[in-house]
Amino acid sequence: MEGRLINRSGSLPDAKTTPVADSSVLQIWGGHRLQGHVKISGAKNSALVIMAGALLCSGNCRIRNVPSLADVERMGEVLSALGVHVQRNGEILDIDASEITSSKAPYELVTQLRASFFAIGSMVARLGVAQMPLPGGCAIGARPVDLHVRGLQAMGAEVQIEHGICNAHVPGENRRLHGAKIYLDIPSVGATETLMMAATLAEGETLIENAAREPEVVDLANFCIAMGAKIQGAGTSTITIVGVPQLHSVDYTIIPDRIEAGTFLLAGAITRSEITLSPVVPEHLAPVIAKLEEIGVSVIEEAPDCLRILPAKALKAIDIDTLPHPGFPTDMQAPFMALLTVAQGDSVINESVFENRLRHASELNRLGADIRVKGNTAFVRGVPMLSGAPVQGTDLRAAAALVVAALAAEGLTTIQGLHYLDRGYERLDLKLQQLGAKVKRVSIGNTE
Ligand code: EPZ
């Protein structure tokens, strides 16, 4: 890695002897049992889209249980660039969108945070106009936005894409979208959220069919309903929205992060530990818990918002197909693959949601796993033990998979690519340390 003094044996220079760091790595010494309780933060994928939804409100929105993540900071910067006031106070975010002074989202921010594109729905609904850069692809896929665009056009927006900018505007003097019947080719989370937000202020009724059913879609709907929106059917494949003239201030608490919770369940499973997690919404984790039970791990509802995982005697190989909710979540595929690398037998993982989301397999193989990838399918042959090595995260959940694997690998694992991890996990290293894991975040500097 250019400019970093990490030799491939994984030993790092003493952080004290290197200049002030411009980056950091995680050092994990595997093989230690975890114990105790971990607090789950607010859901990243709720926070991001609800921040975009705050643009619909011509007053103040107070959003609680907001995780402190790089992506949340970035979304705050996008809103500020539109002239919206964003005030953070711990887990509370105060957003005042009574004055939106610009309809032009900054290119350099949108390309770094795909979720900011979803704000096009609330901007066109509120302002009748939006200049939103196309988010472009990322490590896991091309990430097109055709369903978002087609839905807005069905609702009366005229959309031209030129020079990488999606220019949307609503013709006519009242510049108000109208309701429409929309069928999504794919139950896209983002498209469902963009169009649901747009429909809250449109004239008349909008029907979104083949809608995404993820808990974060329901969270956004509940946030909009709390502002006075008329939405029915969120969480099912058919959502009906009747537009209203405007939405009022709200004080709203977002749901816990089911993907962070699932990641900690896997950390417990792979280290044969007994830990508890809260707050959680157990039903949001139903597909993950079902797969853990199939492997041989017991997960108990300690309380309505608390789960306890018990150590398994043996981990059995299983097959996984990622699907839209309530199927097995694609965001849990990489961390789950880490667990299956040490299960007994052969597992088959099929990634059907994104076209390039198996890149973590090669990094897991550097830790001694036995994984073969053919197209969108990974064939995982369980091995008795992983062994520590320097590895590199290639996207947010791939980095999480390497952390899970490192907790069970013999010796030292050094993980680069923490900027990915910081996008979606709030102080993962500290939370793991509090559970007894031997984890250290080490700053390393540039070397001449
Ligand atoms: C959301 O992304 C999440 N991000 C992703 O989480 C998550 O993996 C994904 O939903 C699936 O659950 C946020 O909520 C911020 P999609 P999104 O539209 O909305 C195709 C994480 O790790 N598609 O449901 O972008 C698309 O290419 C992130 O936290 C179109 O073809 O996902 C993909 O193959 C990663 N045209 C499939 O649909 C479109 O217009 C599902 O994508 C839109 C999507």
Side-chain angles (χ1 to χ4, degrees), residues 74-385:
R74 211 156 282 149
M75 182 61 103
E77 289 163 16
V78 172
L79 297 183
S80 305
L82 300 174
V84 173
H85 294 287
V86 182
Q87 181 85 32
R88 172 133 215 176
N89 177 7
E91 293 181 348
I92 294 177
L93 211 48
D94 285 320
I95 299 177
D96 176 359
S98 45
E99 290 290 314
I100 302 180
T101 55
S102 166
S103 61
K104 198 176 276 188
Y107 167 76
E108 65 284 353
L109 288 174
V110 175
T111 47
Q112 296 171 54
L113 177 61
R114 170 184 172 72
S116 43
F117 185 82
F118 305 171
I120 193 170
S122 36
M123 286 168 72
V124 174
R126 181 80 191 280
L127 308 170
V129 67
Q131 288 90 34
M132 180 63 75
L134 288 172
C138 71
I140 63 177
R143 311 297 292 273
V145 289
D146 55 310
L147 299 177
H148 302 242
V149 170
R150 289 201 337 244
L152 290 173
Q153 289 170 326
M155 297 171 78
E158 290 182 6
V159 182
Q160 284 85 31
I161 294 178
E162 45 200 13
H163 310 303
I165 306 280
C166 191
N167 295 295
H169 78 279
V170 186
E173 77 257 23
N174 74 350
R175 298 181 12 151
R176 196 177 173 196
L177 293 167
H178 57 68
K181 185 174 178 190
I182 298 163
Y183 185 88
L184 295 177
D185 302 0
I186 297 168
S188 155
V189 171
T192 302
E193 292 170 340
T194 295
L195 300 174
M196 184 164 69
M197 288 191 283
T200 59
L201 296 176
E203 198 143 12
E205 180 176 281
T206 298
L207 198 59
I208 304 175
E209 294 185 295
N210 197 27
R213 300 171 55 188
E214 273 70 1
E216 294 75 24
V217 172
V218 178
D219 211 15
L220 172 66
N222 290 336
F223 169 74
C224 293
I225 290 165
M227 289 195 290
K230 293 189 177 3
I231 301 173
Q232 287 188 321
T236 75
S237 299
T238 303
I239 303 178
T240 307
I241 307 105
V242 177
V244 294
Q246 72 171 16
L247 296 175
H248 56 70
S249 296
V250 70
D251 185 328
Y252 189 81
T253 301
I254 66 174
I255 58 174
D257 194 312
R258 63 192 168 105
I259 306 301
E260 183 195 21
T263 306
F264 276 104
L265 286 175
L266 292 169
I270 204 168
T271 55
R272 309 295 176 91
S273 307
E274 179 169 346
I275 60 172
T276 55
L277 312 86
S278 73
V280 295
V281 179
E283 68 184 276
H284 292 170
L285 282 151
V288 174
I289 293 170
K291 281 298 174 184
L292 282 169
E293 300 276 356
E294 196 182 333
I295 287 178
V297 177
S298 298
V299 180
I300 298 165
E301 271 189 42
E302 188 91 342
D305 71 344
C306 179
L307 292 176
R308 176 183 293 273
I309 184 169
L310 301 176
K313 293 182 189 53
L315 298 171
K316 192 168 71 63
I318 60 165
D319 295 346
I320 288 180
D321 283 289
T322 65
L323 288 167
H325 194 78
F328 186 90
T330 173
D331 293 348
M332 285 301 303
Q333 178 261 107
F336 226 98
M337 185 187 289
L339 176 63
L340 292 173
T341 63
V342 290
Q344 288 167 7
D346 294 346
S347 302
V348 179
I349 299 176
N350 193 41
E351 170 56 57
S352 70
V353 176
F354 288 108
E355 65 267 30
N356 188 28
R357 203 174 196 177
L358 293 171
R359 291 174 57 194
H360 40 281
S362 50
E363 289 302 300
L364 289 170
N365 283 342
R366 281 184 51 74
L367 298 175
D370 179 357
I371 308 168
R372 285 175 302 115
V373 174
K374 286 194 182 334
N376 277 333
T377 304
F379 300 87
V380 184
R381 173 152 296 171
V383 296
M385 174 66 80

